[in-house]
Amino acid sequence: MLDASLAVNVRGVWLGTKHAVAQMLAQEPLAPTAPGTPTPSRGWIINMASILSSAGLPGATSYCTSKGAVLNLTRAAALEYAADRIHVNAIQPGFTDTHFLETLYATAPGGRDAVQQRLNVAHPWGRTGRAVDIARVAVFLAGEGVGWVTGTGFVVDGGYLAQ
């Protein structure tokens, strides 16, 4: 389980970052389009981490390990390429209605309804996330509004980690 998590979640993100950086270094910086944007950027890399990059979960040791590595990979790459004006950030989604949760529903005790109820209670907003919640943050992170942001993990979890 650990080898598979590392292969997909760490090596896959590392390779994606590596190839995106190579392309961005080969291109001219993008001219700012927003008034007041002081410096051009070469591009924005957005890695997918997890709230489990910052917190543990029983039974998910390999996943937590790999996603923690993604967050630190993001930070290190941001520092390595800041002088080249490449933004590298990560999104740290919480429990979101995706295939990942479908697997949890199928394997956790109590069945889908019981698991969904426990997850809803565990979130201050009373629900799990939706793909659109994550997508909106990705759009934000890929824009000029974050011209001075790099090396950061953006938690998108309905307040789960704030508890």
Side-chain angles (χ1 to χ4, degrees), residues 3-17:
D3 289 340
S5 290
L6 294 175
V8 172
N9 295 337
V10 182
R11 186 170 179 78
V13 171
W14 184 85
L15 286 169
T17 301

Side-chain angles (χ1 to χ4, degrees), residues 13-84:
V13 171
W14 184 85
L15 286 169
T17 301
K18 171 187 167 183
H19 292 292
V21 164
Q23 174 59 42
M24 290 173 184
L25 290 174
Q27 68 194 23
E28 290 297 316
L30 304 168
T33 58
T37 304
T39 57
S41 294
R42 288 190 188 272
W44 293 260
I45 295 171
I46 304 167
N47 294 325
M48 292 305 289
S50 169
I51 58 168
L52 299 180
S53 301
S54 300
L57 183 70
T61 306
S62 61
Y63 184 80
C64 294
T65 299
S66 67
K67 289 300 189 173
V70 169
L71 190 55
N72 270 335
L73 180 157
T74 298
R75 291 176 180 136
L79 294 174
E80 287 179 25
Y81 297 104
D84 298 303

Side-chain angles (χ1 to χ4, degrees), residues 37-135:
T37 304
T39 57
S41 294
R42 288 190 188 272
W44 293 260
I45 295 171
I46 304 167
N47 294 325
M48 292 305 289
S50 169
I51 58 168
L52 299 180
S53 301
S54 300
L57 183 70
T61 306
S62 61
Y63 184 80
C64 294
T65 299
S66 67
K67 289 300 189 173
V70 169
L71 190 55
N72 270 335
L73 180 157
T74 298
R75 291 176 180 136
L79 294 174
E80 287 179 25
Y81 297 104
D84 298 303
R85 298 297 185 249
I86 296 173
H87 304 265
V88 187
N89 292 296
I91 297 175
Q92 292 181 254
F95 293 95
T96 306
D97 296 330
T98 63
H99 180 69
F100 185 85
L101 279 189
E102 292 301 323
T103 302
L104 180 65
Y105 294 148
T107 59
R112 181 186 183 86
D113 291 340
V115 173
Q116 184 67 59
Q117 181 60 30
R118 286 194 302 269
L119 286 173
N120 289 347
V121 168
H123 289 80
W125 280 17
R127 68 169 176 87
T128 52
R130 298 182 185 109
V132 69
D133 298 324
I134 310 309

